[in-house]
Amino acid sequence: MNTRTLVIGCNHRSASVEVRERISFNDEVAARALRELRTRYPACEAVLLSTCNRMELYLASPPGGPPGVTEAINFIAEFHGVPAAEFVECLYHYEGAAAVRHLFHVVCSLDSMVLGESQILAQTKRGFELARSAGTVGGTLDGLFQRAFSVAKEAHTKTAIAAGRVSVGSTAVDLAHQIFSHFDDKIIMMVGAGKMGELTLTHLLDTGPKRLWVTNRTDARAVALAEKIAQQHLVAVEAVPFAQWIDHLAEVDIVIASTSASEPILTARQFAPIPARRGYRPLLLIDIAVPRNIEPAVAEADGVFLYNIDDLQAVVEMSLAHRREAVGHCHQIIEAHVVEYLERCSRQDLGPLIAALQNHFRGVADSELQRILPKLGDISENDRALLEQMLHRITQKLLHDPISHLNQAAANGGAHFYADALRAMFNLTSEEEKEKE
Amino acid sequence: MNHELLVTVVCGVSYLVAGFAVYLHIRGQVWWANPVSRVAAAAAIGLNLAYLGRAIALEGLVSTFEHSFDAIVLLSTLIGLVALGTHLAPRLRGLDGLLFLAAGVVAFSAIFVLRQPSGVMSARPWFISHSLAFAVSGVFFIAGGVAGIAYLLVNWMLRRKRLALVRKVPPLESLERFGRWMPIIGFPVFTYGILTGLCGVAHRPDFATVWYRDPTFLFAIAAWLIYAYMTASLMYRPRIRGRRAATLATYGLGLVIVIFLAREFLSPLHQ
């Protein structure tokens, strides 16, 4: 590659949260850092990816030119005012093909804490957009990141890397979606104030239910909980007295039970009259309490779907197993794209060299033509054009085979030897520079 | 191989391929499954329509649907169109696979009536209404029955906690709504079909002595009673919903198949 690509950073495996938080960048700070980096190294391209689990700086600069690894580490240290010695041990860095491969792994979520999570792709896109608006993205990083996004898309569509849910809350949402097709007429009731229950409720609120009821064995706590949820999620929440919660089951569609009661708070006997009162509509009961809050026999009624924490956990495990199975296929996709990307870069790098070679040959032919023309005397315009054409065709034919070989070598990743030989033999370096000028 | 057999085999195989591709799409991340199912279904429907168009152009509307073969091609086309419709409705994804399979089975069943001579009812205006009404109501009942089967499968999956296919198959609520509307829409059309049939044959002098010997007529009346009960229950009885409604719709589908078999193989009077 004509440009050096480098990534330097740390992630949840290489650095503790104490280190990560000291060298992380929020959007505003990242934009400032990128601009500062550009001021310091004008020829360099940069993209910053900073999430709660990783901080990575992607750089593209002319070969041999700054910033290298040391300059990048110093820049991060100086920007954050943190001595480099405090975090340098936690950093990893990759260059060239390894950097490309690492980025593809990151966007495909193979390097994430939760395998296959889709957030990292959105975060990478945001980091890339931020760098673009800061003006630190050029041809190299633009091509690299666009390719990375298409690799991620391919991995997500062709493999099961992002299949299924990997949290209890989102699994509960999936179950709700499997039973109900729409939620704008549904009522959700949360029984108890367990942390897990609240987390599950947070996921379910995204479905946009019609109403939300909260109840607790201590009524005052139910009122406080309703107020807390209303404030946190900006939704209308009603507190229901615990003595009446079973009566309310006639109207409710989804129940999340997470009290710390040692005995079931809903038995099959208590539930028996409910299905008829609710017109046999389906009812989803999510019991994530241990010991369980709902007697298993309740699920025997028609249209009642009862799941406990083990059921939900089993789905999570199943999804993770599917994702792990897909890792091998993802690696294959990534490797194919890395090879293709590098080949493309090599071909692009050869463009100026080929142009220089053609110019060199044309120059020789032209000078020979200029030398011979006065000796030919008074020749017609037609004859002159014929001579020019002949020289042009000879030049093209002479160059056809070497250029084909060069392109073929580029495709096989071995163009550098030929390129160097051509530059040395025909003194093309200066011509390439002229091209650039 | 004559062109009727070719149409039957190609359409049947295409529908089955579409159904199998939908199954693959549901089971795993097979990226090509969706395009394959669409292409196969479109090919089957296109070929069916082309065949029907050609037949109508050559023989006229009434003569075309006198043939059992052509009536079955029409039925499989309509089921295929409903399947394609459910395929394009995200909330009913998964039901399309079962409907494609149903369309494939119906398409293949045309093989049994391939060489059957045309009926003697030709050119009677009531006959075309009667036969089309049965074809259209058959589509609604088959679609409702298939939705009922899908509901029972998803319900079983959820209650037995076999959760590998969660969110890959249509939600119960969608299946129930679809399964509820299909018989409600199909029932009046079916009633119309029975009435046109009655009007068509009531003037025959032997009608009073032969109607009870015709299995098609008897099964059709039984099916009408079941669907009448089901339609009324679906509209007015809250207890008949969910698993019960799905079970009823499945029985209805069974009866539709029985009527079809009776008409083709057990009912010389009806023929």
Side-chain angles (χ1 to χ4, degrees):
Chain A
M1 281 193 283
N2 236 356
T3 317
R4 180 176 62 170
T5 312
L6 170 74
V7 55
I8 183 159
C10 61
N11 64 15
H12 57 281
R13 278 192 287 271
S14 71
S16 65
V17 68
E18 288 80 13
V19 173
R20 295 202 308 271
E21 69 191 6
R22 295 186 75 187
I23 56 173
S24 71
F25 298 83
N26 63 30
D27 283 1
E28 196 184 321
V29 176
R32 194 154 49 82
L34 288 167
R35 279 193 291 270
E36 208 175 305
L37 191 74
R38 191 61 180 261
T39 316
R40 207 180 284 188
Y41 307 106
C44 143
E45 296 176 38
V47 172
L48 241 173
L49 173 60
S50 186
T51 71
C52 44
N53 284 329
R54 72 177 64 244
M55 187 291 293
E56 287 176 347
L57 180 59
Y58 289 85
L59 298 164
S61 51
V69 176
T70 317
E71 288 92 344
I73 292 171
N74 288 340
F75 173 78
I76 295 167
E78 282 166 32
F79 188 84
H80 284 291
V82 179
E86 287 184 20
F87 64 86
V88 74
E89 292 282 301
C90 307
L91 295 182
Y92 47 76
H93 63 90
Y94 303 104
E95 212 168 304
V100 173
R101 190 174 290 110
H102 176 75
L103 174 63
F104 291 179
H105 274 94
V106 169
V107 291
C108 289
S109 194
L110 298 184
D111 201 44
S112 298
M113 186 182 264
V114 179
L115 183 67
E117 53 97 7
S118 56
Q119 230 180 351
I120 187 65
L121 179 59
Q123 286 164 334
T124 312
K125 281 182 178 168
R126 206 178 62 219
F128 175 68
E129 284 306 322
L130 195 79
R132 204 141 70 166
S133 32
T136 59
V137 176
T140 306
L141 287 190
D142 187 56
L144 175 63
F145 274 78
Q146 296 298 352
R147 172 60 71 110
F149 299 145
S150 61
V151 173
K153 192 178 170 190
E154 190 177 332
H156 280 111
T157 48
K158 290 190 179 174
T159 75
I161 194 68
R165 299 289 185 166
V166 287
S167 79
V168 166
S170 51
T171 304
V173 173
D174 270 0
L175 286 170
H177 275 289
Q178 189 55 69
I179 294 166
F180 306 108
S181 60
H182 55 282
F183 292 85
D184 50 2
D185 59 348
K186 302 293 181 291
I187 300 174
I188 299 178
M189 180 188 256
M190 186 164 105
V191 187
K195 196 77 198 154
M196 199 68 166
E198 213 178 310
L199 209 64
T200 308
L201 180 71
T202 309
H203 278 90
L204 278 168
L205 282 176
D206 292 341
T207 59
K210 179 185 165 195
R211 242 182 280 169
L212 180 60
W213 290 341
V214 172
T215 188
N216 197 279
R217 286 178 296 165
T218 315
D219 287 343
R221 207 156 164 222
V223 174
L225 188 64
E227 280 171 11
K228 185 184 150 199
I229 293 170
Q231 273 175 4
Q232 273 179 356
H233 302 288
L234 302 173
V235 289
V237 189
E238 251 175 81
V240 171
F242 193 72
Q244 297 168 17
W245 88 271
I246 294 178
D247 290 336
H248 278 72
L249 285 179
E251 292 171 67
V252 171
D253 300 285
I254 301 168
V255 175
I256 307 160
S258 66
T259 75
S260 53
S262 54
E263 294 292 319
I265 56 168
L266 180 65
T267 62
R269 201 170 159 186
Q270 286 169 313
F271 188 73
I274 302 293
R277 281 174 54 201
R278 47 185 292 110
Y280 301 93
R281 282 179 297 119
L283 173 65
L284 172 61
L285 300 170
I286 298 165
D287 182 2
I288 44 182
V290 179
R292 285 175 293 177
N293 283 170
I294 301 171
E295 215 174 64
V298 168
E300 282 166 19
D302 244 3
V304 176
F305 303 92
L306 170 63
Y307 298 97
N308 60 37
I309 186 76
D310 279 2
D311 300 329
L312 302 180
Q313 204 61 49
V315 178
V316 169
E317 283 304 317
M318 199 162 55
S319 303
L320 282 172
H322 278 144
R323 289 184 180 194
R324 280 193 289 267
E325 278 170 21
V327 168
H329 192 186
C330 277
H331 279 302
Q332 285 173 359
I333 291 173
I334 288 172
E335 276 315 306
H337 276 279
V338 168
V339 170
E340 205 180 301
Y341 175 78
L342 294 176
E343 276 175 18
R344 201 174 155 186
C345 287
S346 298
R347 276 199 293 273
Q348 280 174 349
D349 291 346
L350 286 178
L353 174 68
I354 291 169
L357 189 66
Q358 285 170 332
N359 283 343
H360 176 80
F361 271 68
R362 269 185 220 131
V364 172
D366 278 347
S367 66
E368 279 307 301
L369 182 69
Q370 296 310 319
R371 198 177 63 81
I372 205 78
L373 276 177
K375 292 180 184 172
L376 291 173
D378 193 17
I379 60 165
S380 67
E381 278 299 309
N382 198 22
D383 291 342
R384 187 193 160 100
L386 275 173
L387 274 174
E388 277 176 2
Q389 267 177 25
M390 182 189 72
L391 281 171
H392 179 70
R393 278 160 63 181
I394 289 171
T395 316
Q396 290 294 101
K397 283 186 176 175
L398 281 173
L399 284 176
H400 178 264
D401 283 347
I403 289 173
S404 299
H405 279 295
L406 202 56
N407 279 327
Q408 214 171 352
N412 298 327
H416 291 290
F417 171 76
Y418 292 104
D420 290 345
L422 282 170
R423 281 192 195 100
M425 282 191 292
F426 296 107
N427 195 23
L428 294 176
T429 318
S430 55
E431 299 228 3
E432 273 187 89
E433 279 165 7
K434 270 183 218 164
E435 283 272 315
K436 280 182 188 168
E437 280 164 19
Chain B
M1 193 187 275
N2 66 20
H3 64 273
E4 276 97 352
L5 186 61
L6 189 73
V7 167
T8 304
V9 171
V10 172
C11 290
V13 168
S14 300
Y15 280 132
L16 295 185
V17 166
F20 186 65
V22 170
Y23 170 77
L24 285 182
H25 180 71
I26 289 170
R27 287 298 303 189
Q29 298 276 322
V30 187
W31 65 272
W32 47 263
N34 239 350
V36 165
S37 64
R38 285 177 193 187
V39 169
I45 293 169
L47 188 59
N48 271 349
L49 288 173
Y51 172 81
L52 288 174
R54 181 181 166 274
I56 291 168
L58 289 176
E59 298 180 34
L61 197 64
V62 175
S63 302
T64 298
F65 294 114
E66 271 174 26
H67 298 286
S68 298
F69 178 83
D70 296 0
I72 290 175
V73 170
L74 173 70
L75 187 62
S76 79
T77 312
L78 293 176
I79 296 171
L81 284 169
V82 173
L84 202 59
T86 57
H87 179 81
L88 298 174
R91 280 178 182 167
L92 291 170
R93 281 281 172 88
L95 180 63
D96 50 347
L98 285 177
L99 283 168
F100 282 134
L101 290 182
V105 171
V106 170
F108 274 122
S109 69
I111 287 177
F112 299 112
V113 292
L114 206 56
R115 300 277 174 208
Q116 214 166 74
S118 54
V120 292
M121 306 287 192
S122 60
R124 300 261 167 83
W126 61 267
F127 179 76
I128 189 79
S129 312
H130 175 71
S131 124
L132 278 179
F134 271 112
V136 172
S137 62
V139 170
F140 283 113
F141 291 158
I142 288 171
V146 169
I149 292 171
Y151 184 97
L152 293 175
L153 286 174
V154 176
N155 186 61
W156 176 86
M157 182 189 98
L158 284 169
R159 288 178 77 85
R160 291 294 174 99
K161 297 177 183 175
R162 306 280 166 89
L163 303 175
L165 292 182
V166 161
R167 287 205 85 173
K168 290 178 179 171
V169 288
L172 282 180
E173 204 175 22
S174 298
L175 286 174
E176 190 185 10
R177 194 175 304 119
F178 185 82
R180 173 185 293 266
W181 281 107
M182 286 297 106
I184 290 176
I185 298 169
F187 180 68
V189 186
F190 185 58
T191 310
Y192 174 75
I194 288 180
L195 288 176
T196 48
L198 277 175
C199 295
V201 294
H203 66 276
R204 288 171 58 143
D206 58 344
F207 177 68
T209 53
V210 296
W211 67 267
Y212 51 84
R213 280 187 277 151
D214 180 12
T216 309
F217 183 75
L218 297 178
F219 283 125
I221 294 298
W224 187 88
L225 289 172
I226 284 193
Y227 276 107
Y229 168 74
M230 194 167 135
T231 308
S233 300
L234 287 174
M235 290 198 290
Y236 304 114
R237 288 188 66 198
R239 198 178 171 79
I240 304 296
R241 61 179 301 158
R243 197 174 57 85
R244 288 189 179 91
T247 310
L248 265 179
T250 310
Y251 289 154
L253 172 65
L255 258 178
V256 169
I257 294 168
V258 169
I259 293 171
F260 169 75
L261 293 175
R263 182 187 175 278
E264 295 305 331
F265 304 111
L266 304 171
S267 186
L269 283 173
H270 214 88
Q271 286 293 329

